[in-house]
Amino acid sequence: MIKIPITEDFNIKEYEKQISFISSAITGYKIQNRTLLIDCDETFEADLEKTIRSSMKRFLGTEDTGTPEVLAENRNNRSFTSHEQVLNGEYIISYGDGRIALNHEAVWLYEYFDSVFRGFAMELGAVEERYPVLLPVKDYSDTGYLRNSPQYSMFCSEVTEDMKIIQQLRTVEAQAEKDYINPARYTLSPSACFSVYERYRGQTLTDNCTVTLCQSVFRNEGRFNWKDFGRLRDYHVREIVFIGSPDYVTGSRNKIMDKTIEYMKKMGLAGSVESSSDHFIIPQMQKFKIIQMQKKLKYEWRLSVGETEEMAVASFNLHGLNFTRPFGITVNGTETVTGCVGFGLERMVLAFLTQFGLNESNWPEDMRKSERNR
């Protein structure tokens, strides 16, 4: 077992998300008395400890990136429904591996929240579009995601076109063999906006535009992280994408943030909208956490899911030229940038049920079944 002391100022809770990706030789871990305890194969212990210590030394947590700018905060004295009650109640089915199913009123909540956030987009004159789930690897690579956050990637491979091999694919063991599949040509996209850039590749648009879509997204969050409430490998996002001039994109993003803050207060949802950064784990990418925070490129809508716990249910992002340049997207030949807002629908349902409970009599009045059936 590897034992590494944790200093008081080290953000171990945020660092935990990285442990799964350090090495497949790690079989488990726990934190005890300000010490990180790592279980692993003894043959890897010495090299692995060196790697872990190095990654901890280079890791930047929130205390390193500066104090978040809180745009709005809504706090109230409420009692929370426990995560266990939400996941084991009649509304949610949890498979324990980052997948959940919605039942009964949770389905209505999902559709209700999607309609609210879709409404935000339509008020800005958005065009609604639909895209396939699969994203070609070439387009995925052009987004820069493989350079920035490759750990989330989930690739799709096809069965080898060989009848002898196809006939052998009758057992789980055989299906797991890499010899039976071709190199991946598609990915399951970790971000809903990527399909928009594929759609508009090489185009010169006549004017600034906003596109909205509801898309499935997929993320490999790491084998030790599925225990976290709301950590999902497969969920849906109501996405709003802005393409145009810097003023148009920034202004549009800010309008959606304002609508979100207004809605949070109207509904009595406990949470905040504040600046944030992505969870980069590649050492060379750590500096971008600071850049995102300093330039206010990313904000998150964080809802309380316990007395001291929060969960991000939406993000508001500015991309600059990161996507318009590699995909060759322009608006009338002027400098064209993008931004996006993504609302995680299943995460929104989970946060709502944690705050308002499983008894509809405690829900906001216009969301109760009796009011909906009038």
Side-chain angles (χ1 to χ4, degrees), residues 99-153:
R99 297 179 302 133
I100 62 171
L102 307 183
N103 272 333
H104 308 302
E105 296 309 298
V107 175
W108 181 86
L109 286 172
Y110 171 99
E111 294 174 347
Y112 166 78
F113 288 127
D114 185 41
S115 69
V116 169
F117 305 139
R118 178 182 181 275
F120 291 176
M122 291 307 178
E123 287 181 33
L124 267 64
V127 174
E128 184 156 27
E129 299 183 347
R130 291 285 184 271
Y131 299 106
V133 170
L134 296 177
L135 184 70
V137 169
K138 171 65 167 62
D139 295 282
Y140 185 51
S141 178
D142 285 345
T143 67
Y145 211 80
L146 287 173
R147 294 191 306 274
N148 302 337
S149 301
Q151 72 275 11
Y152 295 129
S153 301

Side-chain angles (χ1 to χ4, degrees), residues 13 41 56 64 70 83 85 103 188 207 239 246 272 299:
K13 185 172 180 60
D41 188 318
M56 292 177 72
D64 303 302
V70 179
H83 301 169
Q85 285 178 288
N103 272 333
L188 297 172
D207 202 355
E239 191 84 359
S272 64
Y299 286 83

Side-chain angles (χ1 to χ4, degrees), residues 108 365-374:
W108 181 86
E365 186 172 350
D366 61 353
M367 296 180 69
R368 298 172 194 169
K369 183 180 292 186
S370 59
E371 293 298 316
R372 304 201 304 270
N373 290 339
R374 285 187 177 183

Side-chain angles (χ1 to χ4, degrees), residues 35-240:
T35 302
L36 176 61
L37 307 175
I38 300 284
D39 293 318
C40 65
D41 188 318
E42 291 183 1
T43 58
F44 298 98
E45 198 166 285
D47 290 339
L48 192 51
E49 179 172 354
K50 182 178 178 181
T51 299
I52 295 171
R53 287 183 179 275
S54 175
S55 70
M56 292 177 72
K57 185 176 181 180
R58 302 180 71 173
F59 182 75
L60 295 181
T62 52
E63 67 282 353
D64 303 302
T65 55
T67 303
E69 177 192 19
V70 179
L71 294 184
E73 192 171 32
N74 193 44
R75 303 298 176 193
N76 46 47
N77 296 321
R78 68 163 74 253
S79 58
F80 293 90
T81 302
S82 72
H83 301 169
E84 291 74 19
Q85 285 178 288
V86 171
L87 295 177
N88 295 320
E90 62 177 321
Y91 293 160
I92 305 292
I93 298 173
S94 174
Y95 298 100
D97 59 357
R99 297 179 302 133
I100 62 171
L102 307 183
N103 272 333
H104 308 302
E105 296 309 298
V107 175
W108 181 86
L109 286 172
Y110 171 99
E111 294 174 347
Y112 166 78
F113 288 127
D114 185 41
S115 69
V116 169
F117 305 139
R118 178 182 181 275
F120 291 176
M122 291 307 178
E123 287 181 33
L124 267 64
V127 174
E128 184 156 27
E129 299 183 347
R130 291 285 184 271
Y131 299 106
V133 170
L134 296 177
L135 184 70
V137 169
K138 171 65 167 62
D139 295 282
Y140 185 51
S141 178
D142 285 345
T143 67
Y145 211 80
L146 287 173
R147 294 191 306 274
N148 302 337
S149 301
Q151 72 275 11
Y152 295 129
S153 301
M154 298 174 69
F155 294 94
C156 296
S157 299
E158 300 156 340
V159 174
T160 301
E161 295 176 345
D162 185 301
M163 185 56 67
K164 291 181 180 178
I165 291 176
I166 291 172
Q167 288 179 323
Q168 294 176 37
L169 293 180
R170 298 180 179 180
T171 67
V172 173
E173 292 75 20
Q175 293 168 10
E177 291 293 332
K178 290 190 293 185
D179 291 343
Y180 293 104
I181 56 178
N182 290 320
R185 294 193 298 132
Y186 295 94
T187 64
L188 297 172
S189 182
S191 292
C193 63
F194 289 173
S195 294
V196 178
Y197 313 132
E198 178 195 16
R199 156 77 172 83
Y200 289 96
R201 180 189 285 276
Q203 294 191 29
T204 297
L205 307 178
T206 58
D207 202 355
N208 301 320
C209 71
T210 296
V211 176
T212 188
L213 59 147
C214 186
Q215 184 85 343
S216 295
V217 297
F218 307 83
R219 293 191 180 187
N220 170 33
E221 297 276 3
R223 62 193 183 282
F224 299 133
N225 294 324
W226 303 124
K227 65 183 186 301
D228 295 345
F229 185 66
R231 188 70 58 190
L232 303 174
R233 70 168 78 227
D234 173 1
Y235 58 101
H236 297 82
V237 172
R238 167 54 65 175
E239 191 84 359
I240 309 171

Side-chain angles (χ1 to χ4, degrees), residues 142-144 147-148 318-327 337-338:
D142 285 345
T143 67
R147 294 191 306 274
N148 302 337
L318 297 178
H319 310 136
L321 302 170
N322 290 344
F323 300 120
T324 52
R325 181 175 289 164
F327 284 87
V337 299
T338 63

Side-chain angles (χ1 to χ4, degrees), residues 247-275:
D247 287 345
Y248 172 80
V249 170
T250 300
S252 299
R253 181 195 70 162
N254 293 347
K255 287 177 183 177
I256 298 295
M257 284 200 292
D258 289 342
K259 291 177 182 294
T260 301
I261 291 168
E262 180 183 355
Y263 180 74
M264 175 177 68
K265 294 179 177 178
K266 172 188 172 183
M267 295 296 292
L269 287 159
S272 64
V273 174
E274 59 187 64
S275 59

